[in-house]
Amino acid sequence: MTSFSLRARPGHSGRSLLTAAVLGLVLLALLPVLALVAFAWLGQEGGDLSLGVAGSLQIANTMLLLLAVGALGAVLGTANGWITTNCTFPGQRWLRIAQVLPLATPAYLLAATLIDLGSRGSWRIHGPLWAIAVLTLTTYPYVFLLSSESFAVSGRRQLEACRSLGVGPWGSFRRVALPMALPSIGAGIALSGMEVVNELGAVELLGVPTLSVGILQRWQNDGDPRGAVGLALVALVMVSLLVAAERGLRRRSRRWLIGGGGEALPRWPLSGWRAVLSVLLTTLPPLCGLGVPLLWAARSLDQLQAEPPAELVLLGGRSFLLALLAALLTVVVGLLLSLARRWIDLPLIRQFSFLAGMGYAIPGTVLALGLMLLGGPWQLSPLLLLVWGYGDRFLAVAKNGLDAALEHIPPSLDEAATGLGCRWPQVIRRVHLPLLRGPLLAGGLLVFVDVVKELPLTFALRPFDFDTLSVRVYQYASDERLGAALLPALLILLLGLAASLALIPGLAQAARGADSTRAGASLSPD
Amino acid sequence: MALVAGVSVLGPGRPTAVGAAPAEIGVYSGRHYNTDKALYQEFTRRTGIRVKLLEAKDDALIERLRNEGANSPADVLVLVDAARLDKASDLGLFQPTRSASLSRDVPVNLRDSKNRWFGLTRRVRVVIVNPRLVNPASIRTYADLASPALRGKLCLRDSKSVYNQSLVAEQLILRGEPATRAWLKGMVANVRQPFFTSDTPLARAVAKGDCGVGVVNTYYLARMLAGDNGAADKALAARLKVVFPRPAHVNITGAGVTRASKNREAATRLIEFLASPSGGRGYAEANNEYPLRGYGNNPILRRFGTFTAATVSAEQMGARTRQAVNLMQANGWN
């Protein structure tokens, strides 16, 4: 080891090491996609790259869902973020916490239970409108989490000025807080948009053919991998635009956050119809998202077909361990990539670390096919492929929060630490890790919840005798035996709930407004 | 010792070398019933051959096996639907299997002509009628579903369902393309609601009178009648009348030894066991399906009555599925 210079960044060898690590990780992240593209272009199978009538319809449906779910989720997430952060109304504290609960519900479970309940009462739950409702309910918490963080930490002084000038909650929201929160809201919409493009089970059940349905159909049913990769590229372009928009907005948010700080403000008390509306707005979405599966469970107890308890423990244990492993993996790799971006001032590294996060853009089914192409000839173990897939798919979830949080830590802190004689590993341990505890935890928990619910990768890549909760639920549900799916589905909800609730301490802290600089602990530096 | 005793119980099975390490085979299965597992355990108990199981969607399994190539750990591939079995053989995923007991137990039209796969259970796609809205006697064949008398009364599952695809493929073979096209057009004109994505809600809709007629696999109805879906569904299903069109469309669950298998002998023995009258009954009963021959002992299936199966082979149907899907979509069956 050569000596490190007393600068904020690691020395030459440290940087080479980091650069090599980044390149290796990016290669790992991109390999499945490269394998797919190579297979589609070099292979003999499949027709031309035409979209066809089905393809155009799938693209149109995906766009419709993106726009509608984005718009509805933006309104719902922002409104609930604002009123639970800056207003008081009956039950406000609990209702604020309730907003993250829908994260626990997999969209396919919500769709399956809605369809089943509906068909018992002669209601046809079918088509794009229902798909929009289901996806909005399951993804609006992303917008809520990010926008309420912004409402809690930024623009305190400006809001104070509003109050002293006699501007009410609506005026302050419209003229000050909303423009400041736009980047965060945009980032939330982008995250939910990626979920929408990836969704498979719910849209299949509701009879809305989207791109992810089309990709699978072309590949496996039509035996047309080229057509499938063509559609996947369309999906990739859509998500790339979302990611680019999200990054652009984040860049703007850095400027805004300078106006943060200031003392915690008293909240606006709401009464009369405003209070009623607020209660409704914050009660209904979590009630539907979590309540529908629970209602269905309560009404289906007479068809409960219990698995042996030992089997349930095994299924739950596997889901838990896989999710934990994926959370740790993505957090560690995300931290490495984020730090590399901070310390190595090369545009190449910046772009590469961006590329590594693009796995989130690839529908799980496509990623699974790519990994299978690699795993077959190299005889890689299915479990290794599965964890590789999780890492690839969910890295962005862990990394995006870290990138944003690192931008809020002034580089002068790194320099001060090195000035005091810390080497760079020590800077990470003594400066960054404590400051990043919040976003590391939040990113890890989000990945955990996502993996517990994850379906296409687990379904396609798991080894012999290795079912998980989500796999079992999907198998039963797709075979129309919801009674047998009941207990595993409740366990998924339970695991998801536990992780969602773990996100809450930061949120509750923000709700108390005890310390406005620590307020956004759920997704920003602690 | 138990191993030796077990082999003798299995009857026609080949002798296993005494003292040989107990074999282990990998099974990829497109079925997922807990009772299947009990059956595999029974096989292990009888033969000493351990079964490792991976259950997933049929198409995903085909894709996985294809990518794993010669390295695949799968010895047996179990698939639901004739077209998928045909697709897997076309892709070279199976190897031919010679077995006297399979030739004896599996009827000729329910296995591959080159002995690459063998049917294990039969599933019948029938017409269900709400007698308050439609006279069950007015439907004798699938062709009757296109009758103008059923305008606004028919409910169908979408064309993504392989069960519907194979049904149309069979009609193509039996009646030719022009007649099938006219039939599809007539049915689509009769359809009352958007196409369903599953059979159970469709059966409920017919029972409630939201539709007068529907097309479902018998086992969904049998499950409802058995009370598996709760008391409300049981009462609903009791309102329905089952009509077996003449001839009735029969689809299969089937299995074959994979090309990659390193343990052909043991793999063949599992398929022999599943196709044998005792093993096959368990496989069929798990899901209220019909065994390869006859009607089995399931009282609910017995109540449905007897049927005349079409003689089209599963292999022929598989070969026409692509054409069937195109025809369905071109005529508004989405």
Side-chain angles (χ1 to χ4, degrees), chain A residues 306-462:
Chain A
E307 309 229 12
E311 178 76 4
L312 277 176
V313 169
L314 259 181
L315 293 173
R318 288 191 199 113
S319 287
F320 178 82
L321 284 177
L322 280 178
L324 193 70
L325 195 64
L328 286 174
L329 179 76
T330 50
V331 163
V332 170
V333 173
L335 186 66
L336 201 69
L337 289 174
S338 293
L339 285 174
R341 260 190 67 177
R342 183 180 176 86
W343 281 339
I344 304 173
D345 208 10
L346 287 175
L348 193 71
I349 291 295
R350 216 159 251 278
Q351 279 148 15
F352 272 18
S353 91
F354 168 67
L355 276 180
M358 284 298 288
Y360 203 49
I362 309 164
T365 37
V366 179
L367 193 57
L369 290 168
L371 285 164
M372 278 199 243
L373 284 175
L374 294 172
W378 292 353
Q379 296 202 47
L380 300 177
S381 107
L383 260 186
L384 184 75
L385 286 179
L386 186 56
V387 174
W388 183 352
Y390 288 151
D392 212 344
R393 175 92 175 74
F394 296 115
L395 179 60
V397 179
K399 187 170 102 54
N400 279 1
L402 285 177
D403 278 347
L406 270 175
E407 279 165 11
H408 298 166
I409 301 177
S412 54
L413 262 186
D414 300 22
E415 281 159 21
T418 30
L420 291 169
C422 286
R423 288 190 171 171
W424 66 277
Q426 275 177 302
V427 179
I428 295 181
R429 194 165 52 82
R430 297 178 61 179
V431 178
H432 292 137
L433 282 185
L435 282 173
L436 291 174
R437 215 173 49 220
L440 282 173
L441 187 69
L445 285 169
L446 282 176
V447 172
F448 182 92
V449 179
D450 270 336
V451 172
V452 169
K453 296 188 289 185
E454 206 281 336
L455 198 58
L457 283 171
T458 322
F459 206 71
L461 297 175
R462 69 198 204 286

Side-chain angles (χ1 to χ4, degrees), chain A residues 119-120 220 462 480-481, chain B residues 32 55 87 200 204 208:
Chain A
S119 80
R120 292 188 206 179
Q220 297 189 343
R462 69 198 204 286
E480 304 179 28
R481 287 180 303 148
Chain B
H32 14 262
E55 294 177 334
K87 179 179 163 188
T200 311
R204 285 181 190 145
K208 283 170 180 283

Side-chain angles (χ1 to χ4, degrees), chain A residues 43-167:
Chain A
Q44 302 298 313
E45 292 171 80
D48 49 4
L49 268 180
S50 76
L51 290 175
V53 181
S56 310
L57 179 70
Q58 286 150 2
I59 292 174
N61 277 334
T62 311
M63 297 290 281
L64 172 73
L65 290 184
L66 270 178
L67 290 175
V69 173
L72 284 174
V75 171
L76 200 59
T78 311
N80 290 0
W82 172 254
I83 56 181
T84 57
T85 311
N86 287 308
C87 305
T88 52
F89 52 90
Q92 172 260 342
R93 243 184 97 180
W94 289 108
L95 288 171
R96 179 175 174 76
I97 289 172
Q99 302 308 306
V100 292
L101 299 187
L103 280 181
T105 311
Y108 58 82
L109 184 64
L110 185 57
T113 50
L114 263 176
I115 291 172
D116 194 64
L117 284 173
S119 80
R120 292 188 206 179
S122 275
W123 277 13
R124 248 340 263 293
I125 309 287
H126 185 86
L129 287 180
W130 284 104
I132 290 168
V134 164
L135 291 173
T136 303
L137 281 174
T138 47
T139 61
Y140 89 92
Y142 291 108
V143 183
F144 166 81
L145 278 171
L146 290 168
S147 73
S148 73
E149 175 207 10
S150 167
F151 292 138
V153 293
S154 61
R156 291 271 157 192
R157 286 191 195 122
Q158 287 89 332
L159 283 180
E160 247 175 76
C162 278
R163 288 182 91 100
S164 62
L165 290 170
V167 182

Side-chain angles (χ1 to χ4, degrees), chain B residues 69-90:
Chain B
N71 300 324
S72 177
D75 298 288
V76 174
L77 176 64
V78 181
L79 295 172
V80 172
D81 181 60
R84 287 167 174 155
L85 287 161
D86 192 60
K87 179 179 163 188
S89 0
D90 280 353

Side-chain angles (χ1 to χ4, degrees), chain B residues 8-314:
Chain B
S8 64
V9 172
L10 198 65
R14 286 168 204 79
T16 303
V18 181
E24 187 177 74
I25 51 172
V27 176
Y28 282 0
S29 171
R31 288 165 56 100
H32 14 262
Y33 306 108
N34 283 347
T35 33
D36 284 2
K37 282 178 200 145
L39 209 59
Y40 299 138
Q41 280 161 10
E42 170 67 13
F43 172 73
T44 305
R45 201 181 60 75
R46 290 190 189 191
T47 60
I49 300 168
R50 216 177 78 81
V51 175
K52 289 183 300 174
L53 180 64
L54 177 79
E55 294 177 334
K57 287 232 162 199
D58 307 75
D59 294 313
L61 288 175
I62 291 177
E63 205 54 47
R64 181 163 173 166
L65 198 56
R66 218 172 127 178
N67 283 309
E68 287 169 343
N71 300 324
S72 177
D75 298 288
V76 174
L77 176 64
V78 181
L79 295 172
V80 172
D81 181 60
R84 287 167 174 155
L85 287 161
D86 192 60
K87 179 179 163 188
S89 0
D90 280 353
L91 291 169
L93 301 180
F94 290 127
Q95 56 176 302
T97 303
R98 275 176 208 281
S99 156
S101 78
L102 283 175
S103 303
R104 184 189 63 225
D105 290 337
V106 185
V108 175
N109 67 325
L110 301 181
R111 59 177 139 101
D112 178 53
S113 59
K114 294 183 186 126
N115 292 319
R116 290 168 296 185
W117 51 260
F118 303 86
L120 299 173
T121 68
R122 294 184 300 161
R123 22 183 68 194
V124 187
R125 198 139 184 89
V126 295
V127 175
I128 47 169
V129 181
N130 184 326
R132 284 181 302 160
L133 297 174
V134 171
N135 175 12
S138 68
I139 296 164
R140 291 194 182 82
T141 63
Y142 294 103
D144 291 334
L145 295 174
S147 150
L150 294 180
R151 182 86 14 122
K153 289 180 180 159
L154 179 64
C155 281
L156 290 176
R157 185 165 169 174
D158 61 29
S159 61
K160 283 184 219 59
S161 155
V162 287
Y163 310 134
N164 283 341
Q165 294 172 1
S166 289
L167 168 65
V168 175
E170 188 173 73
Q171 294 295 307
L172 270 173
I173 295 162
L174 291 174
R175 303 173 60 207
E177 184 167 330
T180 306
R181 184 182 297 118
W183 171 63
L184 289 174
K185 280 202 171 109
M187 275 202 304
V188 170
N190 286 344
V191 162
R192 180 181 175 86
Q193 293 200 18
F195 296 109
F196 286 73
T197 52
S198 43
D199 278 17
T200 311
L202 198 162
R204 285 181 190 145
V206 179
K208 283 170 180 283
D210 299 332
C211 325
V213 185
V215 181
V216 298
N217 281 2
T218 42
Y219 52 85
Y220 292 109
L221 202 62
R223 262 183 224 166
M224 289 170 82
L225 284 168
D228 290 357
N229 299 359
D233 268 10
K234 189 172 176 175
L236 277 179
R239 295 185 198 167
L240 293 168
K241 177 91 182 74
V242 174
V243 175
F244 285 107
R246 291 176 70 89
H249 167 64
V250 172
N251 207 329
I252 54 170
T253 294
V257 178
T258 64
R259 180 165 293 279
S261 173
K262 281 129 201 126
N263 210 339
R264 291 175 60 173
E265 187 108 336
T268 306
R269 285 180 64 184
L270 176 66
I271 299 174
E272 284 170 350
F273 170 67
L274 294 174
S276 70
S278 64
R281 200 181 61 229
Y283 227 42
E285 275 173 3
N287 185 32
N288 297 299
E289 288 172 84
Y290 290 97
L292 289 170
R293 288 197 174 88
Y295 300 93
N297 297 323
N298 186 326
I300 294 173
L301 294 187
R302 289 221 159 249
R303 231 181 295 150
F304 289 162
T306 59
F307 59 88
T308 312
T311 49
V312 175
S313 76

